[in-house]
Amino acid sequence: MEAKQSFLHGTLEATIFDATPYMPPFPFSCMLANGKPTYVTIKLENNNVAKTSLERDRVWNQTFQILCAHPPDSTITITMKTKCSILGKFSIQARQILDEASLINGFFPLQMENGKTNPELKLRFMLWFKPAEFEPTWGKVLKYGGFQGLRNASFPQRSNCHVTLYQDAHHSSAFQPPFSICGTPRKLWEDVYKAIEGAKHLIYIAGWSFNPKMVLVRDPQTNIPHARGVKLGELLKLKAEEGVAVRIMLWNDETSLPLIKNKGVMSTHDEDAYAYFKHTKVICKLCPRLHHKFPTLFAHHQKTITVDARAYTTTSLNDREIMSFVGGLDLCDGRYDTEQHSLFRTLNTESHCFDFYQTNISGASLHKGGPREPWHDAHACITGEAAWDVLANFEQRWMKQCDPSLLLSTSSIQNLMRQPFASSVSNDDMNWKVQVFRSIDHVSASQLSKTLTVEQSIHEAYVEAIRRAERFIYIENQYFIGGCHLWDKDKHSGCRNLIPVEIALKVANKIKAKERFAVYILIPMWPEGVPDSEPVQDILHWTRETMVMMYKLIGEAIKESGEPGHPTDYLNFFCLANREKESTEELVPPHSPHPSTQYWNAQKHRRFMVYVHAKVMIVDDLYILIGSANVNQRSMDGRRDTEIAIGSYQLPSENPAEINSTTTRDIHAYRMSLWYEHTGQADDIFLEPESLECVHKMRSLGDQMWQIYADEEIVDMEGVHLVTYPVNVTLDGLVEELPEGDGNFPDTNTLVQGRRSKVLPPIFTT
C-alpha cells in the first residue's frame, strides 16, 4: 500500500459529459459569455493535459486518458471557459484520489474566480484512476492476448505484419553475432537501394535531411556490385524517368539562405535537394514545420521511405505490396557506418573519402584528418497493413502542405495487395503485430479527428511499454530528458514527458517488491554540435537534471526497503566511444589542426565518441519501439517536432517444434546483436539482462573501457565501444563527477554536467 500511495502513478480516465446552462437575468444575457462556445480544460499541476472541443450547448461526452506520474500533493484542476473568460473551476488533490476515491462521478458545482462556489453552474464529469501496477506485463499479453494497441493513436494495431530490424547503415561481411538465435544481419542501405530500384509505381520519401549526392552502396564485397558508386539522386531520377511516382517531402529549414550558401543552421541540404531535382520528373517539396509561435524553431523530423515492392508472400511475380522503412537514419552525410565505427582508418576508402563528417569539431575537414564522427543508428522495414499506415502518414502530411493531385492513387496500381492471403503466408513469416505512432498536430497532417488536434501517441506508447515491463528495459537514444516536475531545479522548463519518471518509478516499485529489474540506457557523450556551445551545454544540463531525479527516486526506494543495494544495481547509463592506434595504411592528411585545440587533442590522442543517434527501446526482449523520436519534449510533445515510430511484438510460434526458433525471437536476437556490436562479446549472461550478474558485467566492462578511452596512453579499443557514462553515483543516489579527471569530457573544455544557458529559452533545447 505504501508504494501505491506515494505517487499518483497510472492513468486517469477523465470523461467530460455536460454542464448546466447558466443564464444571467435579462438584459445582461446578450452581453455575457454564456451563449458563446464553451470548452473544458484539465490541468495536472500547471500543465494542460486535456481539452474538449468548443460546444455552444455545453454537451461534450469526451473521454481522455491522462498519464500520471506525480507526487500526491499535485492538484488536478478542471476549468470551464470560453475563449475570453473563465466560467468556473473544480480542483482536487492527487492524495484524495489515492486515499479516498479512485472513482469520482457526479454533477459538481464550479468555483468562480472570486473563490465562491456557484451552485447554479455545474459540470458533470467522471474521473477514474487506474494504477500502473495493474497493467499486465508483456509476457502475459503474449501468453493470453488481449492487447488491442493504443486508443489515442491515428492508426490501429495491425496483425499479420513483418518487421526487419537494422543496426547501423551497413555492416562488414565479417560481422556475425555468434549466437544461434541471430541470423546474418541485414544491410540497411543496400536494402533501401534494392527497394528503390525494384519499385514500379511509387517511391515516397520523407526526411529531416536528404543529400541526393549520397552513395548508398560502398562496400567492395557487396552482392549488388552494379549499385556501387551510384548517387541516390541519380537512381531516383532514373526511376522517375521509368514512370515511377517519386515524391520527396523534406523539412524546409528556413535558415537555409543563399547568403550562407544554402547551408542552414542544421545543414540539412534542403535547398540543395530542391535545386538538384528541379526540371526533372522527381517532385521534391520543401515543407516548413508550421508553428504559431516559433515558425523556424521546430522541424519535420520523420524519416520514412515507402515503395511498392514485389509481394513475396504469394507465388505470382506480378503481385505487389507496400513496403515502408522507418527509424533514425536520414539519407544524408555522415550516416554511412558499420559496426567498426572507425575514426581514421576508413578516410582513404570508399566508405568515407567522399563523406567526411564531423560536426562536433570546429574547422574539421578531410584535409586536416580525423577523427571523423562515427555514427550508430537503428532502423526498421515493415510489410503488411502497418506499412500502409506509414504511407497514409506521408499522404496526410503531403495533402496538408503540398498539392494533393501530385499523389498517386494506390487504387490505380494493379495487383497491389493490402493484406496477404491467409493460405499463402507462413504464420511465422507475418507473425508481427505492429502499430504506427506519431507526434504530430493538425497543422502538419490532414484527417486528424475533431477531438485529437495533437497526437502524442509515441509518448503514450513509451509509457505503456515501460509500465508493462517485468524484467528489464534497454534504450538507445540521442537524448534522454524529461520529468521536469520532479527536478530539483528548472521545474517549469516545460520538459514534461514522463519517460524518465516512469522508468525510475518502475525500478522503485520493483525494489519495494524485492524483484530484480535492470535498465540500460545508451546515449551519446554529448549531443551533436561543438561541445562548449550554448545549446550543447544546455542539453547536458537537462540530461544531468534527469539523471539526478531518477537516481534520487531509486536511492530513496533502496533506503526505504532496508535491503542492501546500490542504485547502479538497477539503472546504468552508457555511451559509445572508439580509440585507434595509428595504422600505416590510413590517410596522411596534408594539413594539421591548430595546436592545443579540441581538434588537435582528439587527433593526438586518437579518440572520439561514437555518436548514438538510434531511437529504440526494447522491453523484456518481447516488445520494441523504434522510430525517429528522441526522448525529449521536442519529440514527444506533438506540437513541436513531427515524429513517427512503430511499436511491435511477435506472436509465439504455433508450431511446438519452433517455439525457440529465430522466427519468434527477432527482438531478442536484435538486442543480442546490438550488445555484441557494442561489447565485442557473446557472454551467456547477456541472456539474463535483469540479473545482477549481467548488470555488473556490463558495468565492469564499461568502466574498464572508459579508463582505456580516458587515459593518456593510447591503447586501441579493438572493436569494444561500450563505455560507462562518466558520472559517479553514490549509495544514496547522488550524481557526482568522477573522482579522477577535471569534470570535462576528454580532449574538451566541456563540463559533463553541462551549464544552464543564460540566453536560450528551455523550449529551444528540451
Side-chain angles (χ1 to χ4, degrees):
M1 290 298 293
E2 185 180 72
K4 182 181 176 184
Q5 293 177 356
S6 62
F7 260 79
L8 185 73
H9 183 211
T11 302
L12 185 65
E13 184 173 289
T15 301
I16 308 298
F17 296 108
D18 57 85
T20 52
Y22 173 61
M23 296 296 293
F26 183 83
F28 301 106
S29 56
C30 298
M31 294 180 286
L32 298 179
N34 304 286
K36 293 180 180 179
T38 306
Y39 64 101
V40 177
T41 63
I42 303 174
K43 280 190 172 183
L44 182 51
E45 286 298 84
N46 291 314
N47 299 317
N48 280 312
V49 291
K51 179 182 176 182
T52 68
S53 56
L54 284 150
E55 303 295 343
R56 286 185 182 274
D57 62 1
R58 297 185 180 176
V59 176
W60 295 280
N61 293 325
Q62 292 172 17
T63 299
F64 305 92
Q65 306 292 325
I66 299 167
L67 301 174
C68 307
H70 293 73
D73 59 356
S74 303
T75 302
I76 298 150
T77 306
I78 301 173
T79 307
M80 189 166 77
K81 54 177 82 171
T82 67
K83 285 187 175 179
C84 55
S85 66
I86 293 174
L87 302 179
K89 296 181 179 180
F90 181 93
S91 297
I92 185 170
Q93 269 210 328
R95 183 176 284 107
Q96 189 176 339
I97 294 174
L98 289 168
D99 295 345
E100 299 173 22
S102 62
L103 180 65
I104 298 169
N105 186 16
F107 209 20
F108 299 96
L110 300 182
Q111 194 176 61
M112 309 292 283
E113 286 205 87
N114 61 10
K116 294 182 180 179
T117 300
N118 183 349
E120 296 181 14
L121 181 62
K122 293 183 177 182
L123 180 67
R124 193 189 317 274
F125 63 84
M126 181 176 73
L127 300 178
W128 178 27
F129 178 66
K130 295 170 279 188
E133 64 199 49
F134 296 152
E135 295 277 6
T137 65
W138 287 112
K140 289 178 181 175
V141 165
L142 265 65
K143 189 173 182 180
Y144 301 112
F147 181 62
Q148 302 302 316
L150 289 190
R151 285 187 280 175
N152 289 345
S154 294
F155 306 109
Q157 180 176 275
R158 306 293 191 180
S159 301
N160 301 320
C161 297
H162 181 75
V163 178
T164 303
L165 300 168
Y166 299 91
Q167 58 197 94
D168 303 315
H170 191 67
H171 60 79
S172 65
S173 300
F175 181 66
Q176 179 60 61
F179 302 101
S180 59
I181 55 169
C182 296
T184 302
R186 303 284 303 184
K187 301 176 180 181
L188 173 63
W189 273 14
E190 291 195 2
D191 281 0
V192 168
Y193 187 98
K194 292 173 188 174
I196 293 173
E197 186 179 45
K200 295 192 175 188
H201 301 280
L202 66 85
I203 300 167
Y204 289 174
I205 298 173
W208 174 81
S209 178
F210 180 91
N211 186 350
K213 297 177 182 177
M214 275 296 101
V215 173
L216 296 180
V217 180
R218 312 179 191 182
D219 189 343
Q221 297 179 304
T222 179
N223 62 3
I224 46 171
H226 68 277
R228 273 181 71 189
V230 176
K231 292 178 181 176
L232 174 60
E234 294 306 302
L235 175 63
L236 292 170
K237 286 197 284 188
L238 176 65
K239 297 306 294 185
E241 288 292 335
E242 291 175 5
V244 177
V246 182
R247 307 289 181 259
I248 303 173
M249 182 168 49
L250 305 178
W251 170 50
N252 184 2
D253 179 357
E254 294 179 296
T255 63
S256 300
L257 302 169
L259 185 66
I260 51 175
K261 297 182 180 178
N262 291 336
K263 193 173 182 182
V265 171
M266 306 304 289
S267 301
T268 58
H269 298 286
D270 54 331
E271 296 291 346
D272 294 338
Y274 181 77
Y276 187 94
F277 292 117
K278 203 171 183 180
H279 309 304
T280 74
K281 292 185 178 180
V282 174
I283 299 176
C284 178
K285 296 294 184 182
L286 306 184
C287 300
R289 173 62 173 104
L290 301 175
H291 192 279
H292 67 289
K293 288 184 179 178
F294 303 99
T296 61
L297 176 59
F298 301 121
H300 288 304
H301 197 241
Q302 297 179 347
K303 304 116 176 21
T304 68
I305 305 167
T306 297
V307 301
D308 69 289
R310 183 189 159 194
Y312 286 98
T313 53
T314 72
T315 54
S316 171
L317 296 176
N318 297 321
D319 287 341
R320 311 293 290 174
E321 66 180 353
I322 294 297
M323 173 187 287
S324 293
F325 294 84
V326 298
L329 273 150
D330 278 293
L331 298 169
C332 64
D333 320 44
R335 273 46 172 182
Y336 186 94
D337 209 351
T338 71
E339 77 288 345
Q340 295 168 348
H341 300 302
S342 178
L343 305 176
F344 300 94
R345 293 170 185 166
T346 57
L347 297 183
N348 59 354
T349 71
E350 200 171 338
S351 294
H352 297 117
C353 63
F354 298 112
D355 186 15
F356 178 83
Y357 186 83
Q358 178 53 277
T359 60
N360 302 272
I361 298 176
S362 297
S365 72
L366 188 64
H367 295 300
K368 295 179 184 176
R372 61 176 284 272
E373 179 183 348
W375 197 272
H376 173 67
D377 224 317
H379 221 75
C381 177
I382 324 152
T383 54
E385 278 200 278
W388 284 78
D389 293 335
V390 178
L391 168 63
N393 166 75
F394 182 96
E395 291 176 333
Q396 288 175 14
R397 284 188 51 204
W398 185 280
M399 287 189 287
K400 194 72 177 183
Q401 292 195 259
C402 308
D403 182 356
S405 68
L406 295 173
L407 292 172
L408 178 71
S409 171
T410 52
S411 61
S412 68
I413 302 176
Q414 290 187 342
N415 302 315
L416 181 61
M417 302 165 54
R418 189 173 182 97
Q419 205 170 25
F421 298 113
S423 61
S424 65
V425 183
S426 160
N427 287 328
D428 287 337
D429 284 338
M430 305 291 283
N431 69 343
W432 289 80
K433 284 185 179 282
V434 180
Q435 189 170 12
V436 173
F437 304 120
R438 297 189 295 184
S439 297
I440 205 162
D441 60 15
H442 68 284
V443 179
S444 295
S446 64
Q447 298 177 29
L448 289 184
S449 68
K450 179 182 176 183
T451 57
L452 187 69
T453 56
V454 179
E455 181 174 349
Q456 301 173 321
S457 58
I458 299 177
H459 176 250
E460 291 165 21
Y462 265 87
V463 171
E464 176 103 24
I466 293 164
R467 289 180 178 179
R468 292 179 185 275
E470 187 175 22
R471 298 165 47 226
F472 78 96
I473 293 168
Y474 176 62
I475 290 175
E476 294 185 357
N477 209 282
Q478 183 183 5
Y479 300 102
F480 198 79
I481 307 170
C484 68
H485 61 288
L486 295 178
W487 291 354
D488 289 339
K489 299 175 285 186
D490 307 301
K491 290 180 185 291
H492 304 293
S493 64
C495 193
R496 301 183 301 272
N497 83 79
L498 298 178
I499 295 165
V501 186
E502 290 286 345
I503 291 173
L505 290 178
K506 168 62 72 172
V507 171
N509 289 333
K510 287 289 186 179
I511 290 169
K512 289 168 185 175
K514 295 181 170 53
E515 296 174 7
R516 270 304 305 162
F517 195 84
V519 182
Y520 306 83
I521 299 174
L522 186 72
I523 56 176
M525 285 192 201
W526 66 82
E528 193 177 18
V530 177
D532 56 1
S533 65
E534 286 279 321
V536 170
Q537 284 290 295
D538 216 24
I539 295 168
L540 285 170
H541 169 76
W542 306 130
T543 305
R544 178 61 68 92
E545 289 277 10
T546 303
M547 288 184 183
V548 167
M549 175 270 296
M550 295 177 75
Y551 278 119
K552 181 181 178 183
L553 286 172
I554 294 168
E556 288 172 353
I558 294 172
K559 190 174 181 180
E560 287 173 17
S561 74
E563 298 289 322
H566 192 281
T568 57
D569 291 344
Y570 301 93
L571 170 67
N572 284 282
F573 287 86
F574 299 93
C575 41
L576 300 179
N578 200 5
R579 196 166 196 179
E580 293 176 338
K581 280 192 169 181
E582 194 167 349
S583 163
T584 55
E585 298 174 0
E586 69 186 47
L587 174 75
V588 179
H591 305 287
S592 297
H594 194 275
S596 301
T597 60
Q598 178 198 354
Y599 198 174
W600 171 272
N601 290 334
Q603 196 172 94
K604 173 186 169 187
H605 294 124
R606 306 279 302 181
R607 63 188 171 195
F608 204 74
M609 70 167 170
V610 176
Y611 195 65
V612 177
H613 191 259
K615 299 98 170 49
V616 61
M617 179 171 78
I618 294 171
V619 180
D620 294 344
D621 278 348
L622 297 174
Y623 185 83
I624 187 167
L625 270 161
I626 188 167
S628 67
N630 297 310
V631 178
N632 62 4
Q633 199 59 30
R634 288 185 69 117
S635 285
M636 296 294 164
D637 193 274
R639 300 172 192 85
R640 301 190 188 183
D641 293 350
T642 58
E643 308 283 4
I644 192 167
I646 59 167
S648 48
Y649 60 96
Q650 282 175 290
L651 298 174
S653 173
E654 294 180 6
N655 183 348
E658 297 177 359
I659 291 297
N660 294 319
S661 71
T662 57
T663 54
T664 58
R665 304 181 69 186
D666 288 358
I667 298 171
H668 172 54
Y670 184 61
R671 179 187 61 83
M672 296 294 279
S673 184
L674 286 167
W675 283 24
Y676 179 68
E677 173 186 337
H678 302 331
T679 67
Q681 298 184 18
D683 199 308
D684 285 345
I685 199 64
F686 293 170
L687 297 169
E688 301 172 32
E690 73 276 19
S691 69
L692 191 58
E693 293 79 10
C694 185
V695 171
H696 286 169
K697 169 76 177 180
M698 292 286 274
R699 180 84 195 187
S700 172
L701 179 65
D703 289 346
Q704 176 189 343
M705 297 314 295
W706 175 261
Q707 288 303 319
I708 291 173
Y709 179 79
D711 281 354
E712 282 294 309
E713 182 188 357
I714 299 173
V715 176
D716 200 299
M717 291 176 70
E718 298 180 342
V720 180
H721 302 124
L722 188 80
V723 297
T724 307
Y725 195 84
V727 294
N728 182 58
V729 180
T730 70
L731 196 62
D732 295 329
L734 298 177
V735 181
E736 302 173 341
E737 302 311 312
L738 292 176
E740 66 278 0
D742 56 3
N744 295 334
F745 290 108
D747 302 327
T748 75
N749 295 317
T750 301
L751 290 170
V752 175
Q753 67 179 1
R755 180 186 65 250
R756 177 69 187 101
S757 173
K758 295 179 181 178
V759 180
L760 298 173
I763 196 170
F764 277 59
T765 51
T766 58

